[in-house]
Amino acid sequence: MKTNTILITGAAGFIGSMLAQRLATDTKDGRTRLILLYHQSNPLREPHQPGLIAVRGSLNDYAFMSDLISRYEITTIYHFASNSIVRKCANDPMNAYLTNVMGTVTLLEAVRNAGINTVERIVIFTSDKVYGHAVPPYNEATAFVPKYTYESTKACQDIVAQNYLHNYALPINIVRSSNVYGPGDPNFTRIIPNCIRSIRRGEKPLIFTGVKDYVREFVFIDDVIDGLLLIARVAGRGEVYCIGGTKTVSINNLVELICRLMGYEGGIAIVDKPSNFQEIREQSIDSTKLQALGWSPAYSLEQGLQACIASPDY
């Protein structure tokens, strides 16, 4: 029986590592192999399970990526490798474009030349930030209006994926997600893990000056993984899907909700925002298309936050 060999780029990241955990059970049947790609700067986590293979290398190294795809005869790719921290992208735009845009180009070029006979599905994970300053709620047809660095790199990444889909007929699906959260997120610059950790330490949670009324939408990690697996399993080639459609919340109300759930009454600290750290004022997603495919979020915001608070990760 044919072996399904899955490559996850960005396997050390939040979503990549959570997807790897979910898929690891599939390797026990002997028909699935899971290749976990870690960036050179990340320690290699050798998996102690048959069917799981960890490799370390640069997404921007074309020879390395071509060899990886051909040597393991990759059939499915989930592409998460990205500089996903807004502030880091603002501080180092060259690296942001190199990673988010040219890394995607390198991956898809490697597939086009070394994996064209084996790769059957490529799921490119971008972001609702591609829509930039378009009027929400966004759907798959909403035009891109990026202005700031992170959203511009993700819009470019999305356009690159569309290019390789239409010009080279690669089997690509694009997934644009709202803010993903949940236990296991290692990025404490993000508001939910940062707020929970601050309260645990007896510190006031922080909100940047001027953003307390900004509106965001958060989707729980398990719901995201469910959506990704569904898309990889049944979506038509070239289809684009938005994951989200959950309850929107202002930043201030989000922090107040976390405080209430944790029984914290010590107040919130308002701190100055770095001058080059620019964010979109309001974001939300219309996930009608993905729901028509059979997906729906299982976690409300409060349920997801309670799972985060109960987790030892924070």
Side-chain angles (χ1 to χ4, degrees), residues 137-213:
Y138 318 126
N139 61 31
E140 293 77 7
T142 302
F144 295 178
V145 192
K147 293 181 180 179
Y148 306 137
T149 301
Y150 175 69
E151 62 204 58
S152 296
T153 66
K154 298 303 284 185
C156 289
Q157 179 190 42
D158 199 297
I159 291 168
V160 164
Q162 294 179 52
N163 166 216
Y164 276 83
L165 164 68
H166 296 295
N167 209 144
Y168 306 109
L170 295 193
I172 290 172
N173 292 104
I174 299 171
V175 178
R176 302 167 186 156
S177 174
S178 56
N179 298 282
V180 184
Y181 75 104
D185 186 353
N187 297 302
F188 285 97
T189 59
R190 292 180 178 145
I191 189 165
I192 290 175
N194 184 278
C195 183
I196 294 172
R197 187 174 69 167
S198 294
I199 293 173
R200 285 245 168 88
R201 291 178 170 180
E203 303 167 355
K204 290 184 177 182
L206 306 179
I207 297 179
F208 282 133
T209 305
V211 302
K212 70 181 183 69
D213 295 321

Side-chain angles (χ1 to χ4, degrees), residues 55-66:
V55 294
R56 187 166 62 180
S58 173
L59 185 70
N60 292 89
D61 185 335
Y62 174 74
F64 166 77
M65 292 304 301
S66 296

Side-chain angles (χ1 to χ4, degrees), residues 40-198:
Q40 290 169 313
S41 63
N42 291 318
L44 193 62
R45 307 174 189 175
E46 291 288 357
H48 301 288
Q49 181 176 320
L52 268 68
I53 301 169
V55 294
R56 187 166 62 180
S58 173
L59 185 70
N60 292 89
D61 185 335
Y62 174 74
F64 166 77
M65 292 304 301
S66 296
D67 177 72
L68 181 68
I69 289 168
S70 62
R71 175 156 43 98
Y72 289 107
E73 297 182 331
I74 301 296
T75 55
T76 302
I77 298 172
Y78 291 93
H79 178 42
F80 301 110
S82 175
N83 187 336
S84 60
I85 304 301
V86 175
R87 201 182 319 176
K88 287 184 178 179
C89 289
N91 290 334
D92 190 356
M94 182 176 290
N95 180 266
Y97 278 99
L98 181 66
T99 302
N100 297 355
V101 184
M102 292 311 300
T104 302
V105 172
T106 305
L107 170 66
L108 296 181
E109 269 295 280
V111 172
R112 186 171 77 91
N113 292 300
I116 196 65
N117 294 320
T118 60
V119 176
E120 300 171 354
R121 178 83 69 171
I122 309 166
V123 179
I124 307 287
F125 193 86
T126 63
S127 169
D128 63 349
K129 308 301 183 292
V130 301
Y131 298 113
H133 298 261
V135 177
Y138 318 126
N139 61 31
E140 293 77 7
T142 302
F144 295 178
V145 192
K147 293 181 180 179
Y148 306 137
T149 301
Y150 175 69
E151 62 204 58
S152 296
T153 66
K154 298 303 284 185
C156 289
Q157 179 190 42
D158 199 297
I159 291 168
V160 164
Q162 294 179 52
N163 166 216
Y164 276 83
L165 164 68
H166 296 295
N167 209 144
Y168 306 109
L170 295 193
I172 290 172
N173 292 104
I174 299 171
V175 178
R176 302 167 186 156
S177 174
S178 56
N179 298 282
V180 184
Y181 75 104
D185 186 353
N187 297 302
F188 285 97
T189 59
R190 292 180 178 145
I191 189 165
I192 290 175
N194 184 278
C195 183
I196 294 172
R197 187 174 69 167
S198 294

